[in-house]
Amino acid sequence: MTTGATSPSYDVVVVGGGMAGVSVAYELARDRTVLLLEMEPTLAYHSTGRSAAMYLETYGGPQIRALTLASRPFLEGPPAGFERALMTPRPLLQIARTGHAEVIDALYEQVRPLVASATTVDAVRAAQLCPILRPGSVAAGLFEPHAMELDVHALHQGYVRGLRTRGGTVMRGRRVERLHASGDTWEVHVADGVVARADIVVNAAGAWADRVAGAAGCAPVGLTPRRRTVFTIPGEDVPRARDLPLLYDAQESFYIKPEGEQFLCSPADRTPCEPGDVAPDTLEIARALDEIREVTTVAARSVRTSWAGLRTFAPDEEFVVGFDPTAHGLFWLAGQGGYGIQTAPATARLAANLIRGEEAPDDIARLGLDVALLSPLRFR
């Protein structure tokens, strides 16, 4: 970092302190001076800090699965500065209700090229894998034996520690008001003036990414924040609840995951909303409780706690990773929906390579990732 008369200069300013922002800042700080700006007093407040914390290789489309698979080596054996146990086993069982077995068949055809361990199971085997399933409620399932629970806090804090160790700077409570291009340099304006100058600005602002682009005078890509409600219910009366898999309705009406002596549940809602501190949807919680009682033997009559977070999607529900076609030096890292945690290590490496003017990392490219499908150019 070099200090001018009015504000410090960096190679890169990253806007957004969630998982996307801290991970790419960490990767770039290896050979760049980096400032991370977060508008909230706390990092990872709106999305990262409210994640259900799973690593699922069968989750998402081909591009997302490639980034998920490429992230596994990092998550299994993180570098120095990260807690060593970022993942613990928690298999996934996706189910189709009676009369809808074709949903599982279609899903299996999509995932089997990259996820060889995934297998289809009939109703009998599904009940063996997940004894809380109510007899007659399920037609078939897709079992992912190597799914994992993620320690999201440890991963996020490992990136923050690593960023600082590499000389990066973190500023909280600084909302970007305007981004002004002066030649090849960006001036980053907050409420009390210019906070920094940089050659490159990374827009990793999550639900606010379109607004950050607007602050730079750029067109939005059409991101939609969507609310995801989460709640917990008692599980003490369920035998060996800790050993159950994550149970997920393949038609996305609910999921239920063991968490200590309780279950963490969601109605899997995707309600469009404005960026902000969203509240849980009580009607969706009631619907999910009905679904859980219908499909499982869990009583699910009382809710212990509930909260909600934001998952932000591009119009085609692919990530947005790449330089803006109209603004030199403005890089998008947004639209990561519900996949941003499990893909963070690979997505950050990909973004850092592109920012440096390099190709996608070889291990990610070998998994079939098509960078053009993630580029903001596709919206112009």
Side-chain angles (χ1 to χ4, degrees), residues 262-285:
Q262 63 184 9
F263 289 104
L264 185 148
C265 311
S266 174
D269 48 334
R270 293 163 50 96
T271 308
C273 58
E274 290 297 312
D277 190 4
V278 292
D281 187 327
T282 56
L283 291 179
E284 282 293 296
I285 291 175

Side-chain angles (χ1 to χ4, degrees), residues 41-66:
T42 303
L43 299 179
Y45 181 73
H46 291 284
S47 297
T48 299
R50 309 183 191 193
S51 166
M54 289 294 297
Y55 174 90
L56 308 172
E57 293 178 343
T58 57
Y59 198 32
Q63 308 305 310
I64 292 162
R65 286 197 292 272

Side-chain angles (χ1 to χ4, degrees), residues 130-141:
C130 189
I132 62 172
L133 284 173
R134 189 175 295 280
S137 65
V138 169

Side-chain angles (χ1 to χ4, degrees), residues 305-380:
T305 59
S306 63
W307 64 93
L310 294 173
R311 295 152 31 107
T312 302
F313 294 87
D316 57 4
E317 301 203 358
E318 297 285 2
F319 290 3
V320 186
V321 184
F323 281 105
D324 189 278
T326 63
H328 177 76
L330 181 66
F331 190 92
W332 288 81
L333 182 57
Q336 293 172 314
Y339 317 106
I341 309 299
Q342 67 178 40
T343 61
T347 306
R349 287 192 296 119
L350 170 66
N353 271 30
L354 297 179
I355 289 168
R356 295 186 183 107
E358 301 170 358
E359 300 293 326
D362 288 343
D363 63 309
I364 303 176
R366 284 195 298 270
L367 291 167
L369 183 84
D370 187 343
V371 174
L373 295 179
L374 307 185
S375 170
L377 279 168
R378 70 190 193 270
F379 300 113
R380 301 291 187 262

Side-chain angles (χ1 to χ4, degrees), residues 21-33:
V22 299
S23 59
V24 74
Y26 165 86
E27 292 292 345
L28 288 167
R30 177 169 55 83
D31 56 3
R32 301 285 193 276
T33 57

Side-chain angles (χ1 to χ4, degrees), residues 115-377:
V115 190
S117 63
T119 58
T120 57
V121 296
D122 61 15
V124 173
R125 180 57 178 154
Q128 292 171 346
L129 293 167
C130 189
I132 62 172
L133 284 173
R134 189 175 295 280
S137 65
V138 169
L142 181 73
F143 185 59
E144 183 181 336
H146 302 312
M148 295 281 180
E149 284 192 68
L150 284 170
D151 188 331
V152 177
H153 178 75
L155 178 61
H156 184 271
Q157 288 303 300
Y159 276 127
V160 174
R161 283 194 301 271
L163 169 62
R164 288 179 167 141
T165 298
R166 291 176 172 183
T169 302
V170 178
M171 292 186 184
R172 299 178 175 87
R174 300 297 184 96
R175 182 188 294 269
V176 173
E177 303 286 348
R178 186 164 68 93
L179 294 167
H180 174 68
S182 178
D184 290 335
T185 301
W186 287 99
E187 294 179 348
V188 183
H189 294 250
V190 296
D192 53 356
V194 180
V195 71
R197 290 175 169 82
D199 299 329
I200 292 171
V201 172
V202 178
N203 182 4
W208 287 262
D210 271 346
R211 295 185 182 183
V212 169
C218 298
V221 298
L223 298 170
T224 302
R226 296 180 180 273
R227 176 175 51 213
R228 172 55 59 92
T229 298
V230 182
F231 61 95
T232 60
I233 59 176
E236 296 92 338
D237 296 335
V238 178
R240 302 189 65 182
R242 293 174 179 267
D243 300 328
L244 295 173
L246 167 65
L247 184 65
Y248 193 95
D249 180 2
Q251 293 180 294
E252 298 194 59
S253 65
F254 76 91
Y255 68 74
I256 176 170
K257 183 185 86 166
E259 190 173 81
E261 296 299 321
Q262 63 184 9
F263 289 104
L264 185 148
C265 311
S266 174
D269 48 334
R270 293 163 50 96
T271 308
C273 58
E274 290 297 312
D277 190 4
V278 292
D281 187 327
T282 56
L283 291 179
E284 282 293 296
I285 291 175
R287 179 190 60 75
L289 288 171
D290 286 341
E291 300 269 1
I292 290 168
R293 287 191 293 266
E294 179 181 324
V295 176
T296 78
T297 56
V298 178
R301 298 196 181 280
S302 62
V303 173
R304 285 182 167 170
T305 59
S306 63
W307 64 93
L310 294 173
R311 295 152 31 107
T312 302
F313 294 87
D316 57 4
E317 301 203 358
E318 297 285 2
F319 290 3
V320 186
V321 184
F323 281 105
D324 189 278
T326 63
H328 177 76
L330 181 66
F331 190 92
W332 288 81
L333 182 57
Q336 293 172 314
Y339 317 106
I341 309 299
Q342 67 178 40
T343 61
T347 306
R349 287 192 296 119
L350 170 66
N353 271 30
L354 297 179
I355 289 168
R356 295 186 183 107
E358 301 170 358
E359 300 293 326
D362 288 343
D363 63 309
I364 303 176
R366 284 195 298 270
L367 291 167
L369 183 84
D370 187 343
V371 174
L373 295 179
L374 307 185
S375 170
L377 279 168

